[in-house]
Amino acid sequence: TMTGSILYNVFNNSKWPDVGYYYQFHGKLLIHPWYRDVFFVGKDSVLWKSNNSGQSYTAFANFGTGNTVWRFDMARSNINVMYVLTQFGIYKTTDHGTTWTQLILPAVYQYYNADVVVNPADANEVYICMANGAANAKVFKSTDGGQSWINYTGTMLNGKYIYALNFQGGTN
């Protein structure tokens, strides 16, 4: 038997990620890894930030007209580092969004249903996947913060639609 009361918080987010092509493609809502009331949302060409659990947002980064923000991730080990996948490329900040650098693409970039994930313990280890990428260009890894990429796509992924990544920590 459980005693006491159950408390809950009504989720009243004022901005939602982009969706496209009948909800087949979608953006992301990211909750800051250190602060539960800080949200990030990609909407149109802007990465938005909320400091009050989504009640209101301010523009965090604008990637230019038509350059839709799709997916992004923040390094838990260094919250100044973020990677953003947009319609026209992959961007990185190392100063919490003050400046952004467009990274060199590892292959012909297919932004729809692409995803990015950062190793929680190492901000320079980043993976991207592209569901609509060529059969031999679906999953890539970088160990130097996106300066170079290793193709992790193997024949096991032939015919597979890889559209989401999740970093599993540990050594095995």
Side-chain angles (χ1 to χ4, degrees):
T1 312
M2 184 169 72
T3 60
S5 61
I6 297 174
L7 301 176
Y8 67 93
N9 185 6
V10 176
F11 191 69
N12 190 19
N13 194 38
S14 64
K15 194 174 291 292
W16 294 100
D18 276 323
V19 295
Y21 201 65
Y22 305 101
Y23 291 86
Q24 181 179 358
F25 312 118
H26 57 85
K28 183 175 187 175
L29 182 143
L30 174 77
I31 299 173
H32 194 290
W34 293 5
Y35 307 107
R36 65 184 174 102
D37 57 341
V38 177
F39 294 1
F40 292 90
V41 166
K43 181 78 174 154
D44 299 321
S45 61
V46 179
L47 182 61
W48 297 88
K49 180 180 179 182
S50 171
N51 290 315
N52 56 10
S53 299
Q55 305 257 334
S56 63
Y57 283 86
T58 56
F60 184 70
N62 189 327
F63 294 95
T65 304
N67 197 10
T68 303
V69 173
W70 287 106
R71 308 290 282 185
F72 44 90
D73 200 15
M74 177 182 281
R76 289 167 186 83
S77 61
N78 180 352
I79 59 170
N80 291 313
V81 177
M82 280 184 93
Y83 296 86
V84 176
L85 301 182
T86 71
Q87 187 164 342
F88 300 138
I90 304 169
Y91 294 84
K92 176 184 177 183
T93 182
T94 57
D95 56 15
H96 198 66
T98 301
T99 60
W100 293 86
T101 303
Q102 188 168 9
L103 301 177
I104 296 170
L105 300 171
V108 175
Y109 182 58
Q110 300 291 325
Y111 61 89
Y112 278 127
N113 278 337
D115 199 8
V116 60
V117 67
V118 183
N119 179 339
D122 182 356
N124 287 314
E125 184 178 341
V126 59
Y127 295 80
I128 63 168
C129 71
M130 298 178 287
N132 294 332
N136 63 346
K138 292 193 179 283
V139 180
F140 294 88
K141 174 185 178 182
S142 176
T143 57
D144 58 10
Q147 297 304 306
S148 63
W149 298 92
I150 302 163
N151 189 344
Y152 265 52
T153 309
T155 56
M156 185 171 69
L157 297 178
N158 285 351
K160 305 293 186 215
Y161 194 68
I162 311 301
Y163 65 89
L165 294 171
N166 188 22
F167 195 92
Q168 179 66 45
T171 57
N172 290 342

